[in-house]
């Protein structure tokens, strides 16, 4: 989940692209209420096999992808 003009979102998308990871991008605005209920207050939010995480923690993303 991402939003326009979000530098962390752009960083995460670039990382995934460089790792040749296919992803589906969803506007965070369409899912804001659901994400807030889950405790997420900032973009990006990524879901990797049911594991949600927020922000740009590339080592955590890499670990989840290799998981």
């Amino acid at each position: 989940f991402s939003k326009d003009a979000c530098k962390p979102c752009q960083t995460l998308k670039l990382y995934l692209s460089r790792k040749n990871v296919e992803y589906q991008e969803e506007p965070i605005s369409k899912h804001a209420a659901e994400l807030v209920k889950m405790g997420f207050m900032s973009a990006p939010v990524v879901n990797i096999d049911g594991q949600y995480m927020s922000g740009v923690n590339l080592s955590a993303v890499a670990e989840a992808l290799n998981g």
Side-chain angles (χ1 to χ4, degrees):
F1 305 94
S2 67
K3 61 183 181 176
D4 294 335
C6 167
K7 294 234 183 244
C9 300
Q10 293 168 356
T11 299
L12 181 59
K13 290 186 282 187
L14 180 61
Y15 174 80
L16 294 173
S17 294
R18 286 184 176 167
K19 295 291 184 181
N20 295 314
V21 175
E22 291 184 31
Y23 62 90
Q24 179 180 344
E25 184 177 3
E26 292 283 335
I28 204 164
S29 60
K30 288 188 177 181
H31 306 277
E34 174 187 355
L35 294 170
V36 167
K37 285 181 186 177
M38 294 170 65
F40 297 108
M41 305 298 288
S42 63
V45 175
V46 63
N47 173 0
I48 301 172
D49 296 329
Q51 179 182 351
Y52 287 82
M53 58 188 86
S54 179
V56 184
N57 182 341
L58 300 181
S59 60
V61 170
E63 185 176 320
L65 289 170
N66 294 325

